[in-house]
Amino acid sequence: MSTAERSWPLWEVFTQGKDGEPHQHAGSVHATDAEHALQNARDVYARRNEAVHLWVVPSAAITASTPEDMGPFFDPANDKAYRHPQFYKVPKGVKVF
Amino acid sequence: MTTMPPVADDSARIAAFEARIAADESIEPKDWMPERYRAQLIRMMSQHAHSEVVGMLPEGNWITRAPSLRRKMILLAKVQDEGGHGLYIYCGTETLGVDRQDLVQQLLDGKAKYSSIFNYPTLSWADMGAIGWLVDGAAIVNQTMLAKASYGPYARAMVRICKEENFHKKQGYEIMATLARGTPAQKAMAQESLNRWWWPSLMMFGPHDKDSSNSDELMRWGIKRKSNDELRQRFINLTVAQVKAIDLTVPDPDLKYNEATGNWETGPIDWDEFWRVVKGNGPCNGERIDARRRAHAEGRWVRDAAVAFAEKQQRDNRETTERQQTWTRLGDGATA
């Protein structure tokens, strides 16, 4: 081989299984551009009608929370039990609320 | 964002990591993991990905000679799936910080290992049956276990692959069943193929537990959930009944059923043959790598064209944007 080949950029693939469902992460593909990434994603992740819709996103464009943040970052959700319906008492006489 | 409080040493981290494994938590790419866990996963997953890619070759050999259009379409779809499986697992391996390009290069350089079964030749059409039935059947047993592996990206790739492998196994068994109830020559072809593929299929599960250097560590870290011998036994028990159902014979005079354990027990496996093939001296080791190198070299122009096209698109887009900006400026000037 004359010259070393560069890796193509990495894209994350999200598939929507059925109309109305959310898009879910399926995996990733390498591709030269967005159009190419869509075609590769179709061939790799939707050979059996697993998708009616696809998103491809450059992996480098994704910002994610880090595992180290897991505790502190999500802390604010932990001490607000009153956000859940189980927090509240309903008078005994009420059968169906 | 906060930073992690300093950890005294790695032993505390390893203990925390192993507690997560014990609690059946899924380990994800950005989580801390022992370097040895990472290295073992890279080794195992890249070998698995290479096996999928090399696995296309023995079957690719028969696409142009499939006996009917139906069989040809099925075989094409199956071989395409194997390529897809390779891509899923390469991408899973990349989450551990390696580059797919480097892994592919290791394969092309002949430095990477892959499943030894693909170093056997496909001599008859019946081999397409035997491979789907036995080789993919063995792979399903192994991969069903790996779908519960502790590393999330690997487990998720396995779930996807297992769904697809069932078609592979069924189409293979259908080929064998069709031949087995065909003419005497067709039945003999099926039996001859089973004779050649039976033992290498049992070897796919790797050495006996007592001789398997990696097993303990892989099981301790939840990468593997069952031992080589357990998986092999499960495959044997499933397959013996399938051999009988199509009136073929397992090529093992020592095969016997153990009433007490409910297991089919085989005669001794020829581990000398196994190690000979693993070490590069199987019937087709050289041929497989040559075929991969040739395919990679012959595909070079396609990859180059894809890069050139993407660059041209970017250039065109940039020029269009610049033109529009110029018009906007000119337009602004005219209205001012």
Side-chain angles (χ1 to χ4, degrees), chain B residues 157-213:
Chain B
M158 288 303 113
V159 170
R160 191 174 288 276
I161 287 176
C162 284
K163 280 185 196 157
E164 303 187 353
E165 295 279 10
N166 278 325
F167 136 61
H168 298 175
K169 180 181 170 183
K170 270 196 154 169
Q171 65 85 34
Y173 191 55
E174 191 194 78
I175 289 173
M176 289 301 255
T178 307
L179 289 171
R181 62 168 187 269
T183 63
Q186 287 171 330
K187 185 170 182 185
M189 188 201 282
Q191 182 64 54
E192 189 274 335
S193 178
L194 173 60
N195 294 351
R196 278 183 292 112
W197 291 95
W198 172 257
W199 292 105
S201 300
L202 301 192
M203 293 176 200
M204 279 179 72
F205 296 94
H208 285 308
D209 297 346
K210 60 179 169 45
D211 304 318
S212 175
S213 52

Side-chain angles (χ1 to χ4, degrees), chain B residues 137-138 140-142 144-145 169 202 205 226-240 242 263-264:
Chain B
I140 291 171
V141 169
N142 192 36
T144 305
M145 176 230 5
K169 180 181 170 183
L202 301 192
F205 296 94
K226 289 189 174 127
S227 76
N228 294 355
D229 285 330
E230 280 178 277
L231 293 168
R232 184 169 17 245
Q233 188 62 59
R234 176 167 166 71
F235 173 71
I236 293 167
N237 290 349
L238 287 169
T239 310
V240 168
Q242 293 162 3
N263 287 331
W264 284 94

Side-chain angles (χ1 to χ4, degrees), chain B residues 259-303:
Chain B
E259 292 278 354
T261 58
N263 287 331
W264 284 94
E265 293 172 356
T266 68
I269 293 172
D270 181 358
W271 294 110
D272 289 342
E273 175 181 330
F274 173 77
W275 290 114
R276 200 161 55 238
V277 184
V278 168
K279 296 203 165 108
N281 301 312
C284 300
N285 296 56
E287 189 183 325
R288 298 297 182 231
I289 293 302
D290 285 348
R292 274 313 308 151
R293 286 184 185 146
R294 203 164 52 242
H296 195 74
E298 286 172 0
R300 174 78 191 244
W301 71 270
V302 179
R303 299 191 297 277

Side-chain angles (χ1 to χ4, degrees), chain B residues 10 41-42 46-47 56 58 62 80 94 102 120 122-123 127 134 207 230 239-240 243 245 267 272 293 309-310 318 324:
Chain B
D10 262 7
L41 275 171
I42 292 173
S46 62
Q47 284 179 15
M56 290 191 280
W62 279 89
Q80 189 194 18
E94 287 194 299
D102 295 336
Y120 289 86
T122 44
L123 304 176
D127 289 357
L134 301 175
E230 280 178 277
T239 310
V240 168
V243 175
D272 289 342
R293 286 184 185 146
F309 181 75
R318 210 164 39 237
Q324 280 167 348

